[in-house]
Amino acid sequence: MTTTKSPLHDEHVALGAHLTEFGGWDMPLRYTSDLAEHRAVREAAGLFDLSHMGGISVTGPEAAAFLDHALVGNFSALRPMRARYTMICADDGGVLDDLIVYHNGTDEYFAVPNAANADTVLVALLERAAGFDVAVRDISAGLALIAVQGPRAEEILREVLTEDAEISGGTSLDDLRYYACLGMRFGEEIVLVARTGYTGEDGFEIWVDTPHAVALWRALLAGGEPYGLVPAGLAARDSLRLEAGMPLYGNELDTTTTPYDAGAGRIVKLDKTSDDGTPLEFVGRDALAARSEADPERVLVGLRGTGRRPARSGYAVVRTTDDGEVGEQVGTVTSGVPSPTLGHPIAMAYVRPEVAADGTELAVDVRGRAEPFVVTAMPFYRRG
Amino acid sequence: MADYPSNLRYSVEHEWIDDGTPATVGVTSYAVEALGDVVYLELPEVGAEIEAGSVVGEIESTKSVSELYTPVSGKVVEVNETAVDDPALVNTEPFGAGWLFKIEVSGEGQLLSAEEYAQHAG
């Protein structure tokens, strides 16, 4: 399989990154050490190349009505320069992808799907656009996405970007709330800055036109260095999001999963209505409405390891027999890492509802041995 | 191409062994680079008789689990408890304080010189 290279590929190679295939892209797994990069984001800041993420523009007078029909959220209610975490579901309620949608101008929206699902989402949106006065376009090739995440992120941003009321969209960096965005200047260029992320820290995601991506990356590296910023790879991104209790498509989410299974039922707006007040029949609504009232067959839970060995995706969650051996299977691990911040293993798993209560003592079958884990409320880590 | 200590010999599974009696075994800097941060070590038991080329333990990093092979046959006489307690030693000093176990050698598998190993590892 051929992989796509980020516009920042040569920068990563020059920094000595260990590259890996991810969602069809050749991306940095780590630059030096997963743990050091993870800790830098918790204590100072990390710089991420997220150019593998998709980018779909949705514009036109019926853009909001179209998104209300195509996605599970309520976009007619989303104010300009705000963003929303949402999902796109199939008719049967299964999740095709989770994505963030930005309302970045009048009748103008920008959807960011996962790299591996970018084509699926584009095709689904184009199909669902029939009958709406809307234009759906893949604009990802012209854009790079760079994230600055960590407690020093705002200071670093101010070193490199400048505010300009002409392009800000009516807000300022001072007032920029979580899940809000504004236009800023990088030299003469305009970039879109959003206070969003996937790390559990304060931070920003910045869209820049591809020809200026290298210059912005270098400026952020240099400007952030005095604050302790380091480039960080996908390995740190994964352990950071897992500590923050955020799902990853392909692990916690897939087409056999509904938003309710994943504990994200709150983002499904079953009661959204058209302009005239009639209930809105969005894609997947009937299946999701039924699912919202049914008893779940499985529940996504957090697991805290009390031993040293981490659980991994695909391992069985089990009861322990009286003599401490692997017993009956009651679930499956979807993600697991040794938590760099907490110092013990953490994991997410789908388990039977009867063993999903906080404090339930279970085990994970780690290559034949019952490693003890306890059901724990997520997020595992919350910033102070 | 990386330089590997010329006083050691190497296996294609990325272990190194010195010529001491007993001999000391560890994993190479190349293996460590591929593994990422090591977080857990499972080493053979002291007293165990092990066969060259067999799986004798596990090296677990933040992202993956790898099997530990022994490059030689013999009796395990010591394991590095310091590295078990602080697996990061394997990352920082793979050819030194991050050694894994000591063995009374009774037979050898295929072993490479530093130069041959450098070509193998690339």
Side-chain angles (χ1 to χ4, degrees):
Chain A
M1 186 172 130
T2 56
T3 51
T4 310
K5 286 186 170 43
S6 157
L8 298 167
H9 182 82
D10 291 348
E11 301 300 300
H12 304 321
V13 172
L15 287 164
H18 191 101
L19 299 166
T20 189
E21 190 278 327
F22 185 75
W25 290 67
D26 205 15
M27 297 301 289
L29 180 64
R30 73 178 74 88
Y31 296 85
T32 55
S33 145
D34 309 348
L35 296 173
E37 291 163 24
H38 181 112
R39 289 189 185 116
V41 173
R42 290 276 178 257
E43 292 161 13
L47 186 65
F48 296 86
D49 176 13
L50 306 179
S51 299
H52 58 292
M53 302 292 281
I56 299 169
S57 106
V58 177
T59 55
E62 292 184 323
F66 160 68
L67 292 171
D68 285 345
H69 164 73
L71 308 175
V72 300
N74 186 354
F75 293 90
S76 301
L78 182 62
R79 284 190 278 157
M81 307 314 278
R82 291 293 174 85
R84 190 153 285 171
Y85 175 73
T86 190
M87 294 185 189
I88 180 167
C89 288
D91 281 327
D92 67 358
V95 179
L96 297 177
D97 199 14
D98 64 335
L99 55 170
I100 294 179
V101 174
Y102 300 85
H103 187 183
N104 58 327
T106 307
D107 295 334
E108 209 175 316
Y109 295 81
F110 181 54
V112 180
N114 286 295
N117 295 329
D119 290 344
T120 305
V121 172
L122 181 67
V123 168
L125 289 180
L126 287 169
E127 282 175 7
R128 295 173 190 190
F132 288 94
D133 187 358
V134 68
V136 174
R137 288 174 299 138
D138 181 355
I139 58 169
S140 58
L143 289 173
L145 175 57
I146 298 172
V148 184
Q149 298 279 305
R152 308 303 295 272
E154 185 176 330
E155 294 163 90
I156 294 164
L157 214 66
R158 288 181 189 283
E159 296 278 347
V160 175
L161 302 181
T162 48
E163 300 202 51
D164 179 347
E166 298 275 306
I167 56 158
S168 71
T171 186
S172 69
L173 194 52
D174 272 337
D175 299 328
L176 192 70
R177 290 161 56 169
Y178 190 46
Y179 269 75
C181 56
L182 85 164
M184 292 185 78
R185 290 235 182 246
F186 170 56
E188 294 297 303
E189 303 305 321
I190 298 172
V191 295
L192 180 67
V193 175
R195 198 165 216 145
T196 46
Y198 196 51
T199 60
E201 295 299 331
D202 185 22
F204 303 88
E205 296 180 310
I206 309 165
W207 280 267
V208 57
D209 290 340
T210 299
H212 308 290
V214 168
L216 178 59
W217 173 267
R218 289 181 181 174
L220 288 165
L221 261 188
E225 203 256 329
Y227 296 91
L229 172 139
V230 299
L234 290 173
R237 183 167 159 84
D238 190 49
S239 52
L240 288 159
R241 70 93 191 167
L242 189 46
E243 286 185 345
M246 296 171 168
L248 172 65
Y249 197 92
N251 289 45
E252 285 73 39
L253 302 171
D254 60 29
T255 55
T256 71
T257 311
T258 71
Y260 295 97
D261 297 318
R266 69 187 182 283
I267 69 170
V268 181
K269 302 303 179 191
L270 292 172
D271 55 358
K272 58 186 168 181
T273 55
S274 306
D275 288 344
D276 59 7
T278 54
L280 204 148
E281 287 301 316
F282 63 92
V283 179
R285 187 190 184 284
D286 293 348
L288 290 168
R291 176 62 187 76
S292 74
E293 288 168 11
D295 290 330
E297 289 172 22
R298 53 182 190 156
V299 179
L300 185 67
V301 296
L303 296 175
R304 174 173 55 85
T306 55
R308 286 180 59 179
R309 309 177 86 192
R312 304 285 178 183
S313 174
Y315 287 10
V317 180
V318 298
R319 296 185 200 271
T320 313
T321 62
D322 291 341
D323 43 6
E325 303 286 320
V326 169
E328 179 198 16
Q329 181 169 359
V330 293
T332 305
V333 173
T334 51
S335 296
V337 290
S339 164
T341 308
L342 305 171
H344 56 69
I346 57 172
M348 289 191 212
Y350 280 106
V351 299
R352 292 187 204 156
E354 65 266 25
V355 297
D358 285 354
T360 306
E361 292 184 10
L362 297 170
V364 173
D365 180 348
V366 178
R367 303 180 294 285
R369 272 193 246 166
E371 282 290 319
F373 278 80
V374 179
V375 177
T376 305
M378 291 191 283
F380 299 102
Y381 165 87
R382 205 185 288 275
R383 70 175 182 260
Chain B
M1 196 178 288
D3 270 337
Y4 298 98
S6 59
N7 60 322
L8 304 176
R9 290 185 296 161
Y10 300 86
S11 74
V12 294
E13 305 288 357
H14 308 290
E15 284 83 28
W16 57 262
I17 182 164
D18 70 8
D19 57 2
T21 310
T24 303
V25 174
V27 292
T28 67
S29 52
Y30 177 88
V32 165
E33 171 69 19
L35 281 168
D37 293 299
V38 176
V39 296
Y40 181 82
L41 290 175
E42 184 168 292
L43 300 178
E45 307 223 335
V46 172
E49 295 280 352
I50 58 180
E51 282 285 319
S54 64
V55 174
V56 296
E58 287 177 354
I59 302 180
E60 183 142 18
S61 68
T62 48
K63 296 303 288 177
S64 64
V65 189
S66 301
E67 291 177 323
L68 172 64
Y69 294 84
T70 174
V72 294
S73 302
K75 182 178 172 184
V76 178
V77 294
E78 188 180 349
V79 299
N80 187 352
E81 295 294 351
T82 310
V84 170
D85 290 339
D86 181 13
L89 280 176
V90 177
N91 289 101
T92 53
E93 296 182 60
F95 295 114
W99 63 274
L100 298 179
F101 60 90
K102 297 191 181 194
I103 182 167
E104 283 174 1
V105 180
S106 62
E108 294 184 355
Q110 186 203 1
L111 293 173
L112 308 175
S113 68
E115 197 171 311
E116 290 165 338
Y117 178 69
Q119 288 191 352
H120 167 71

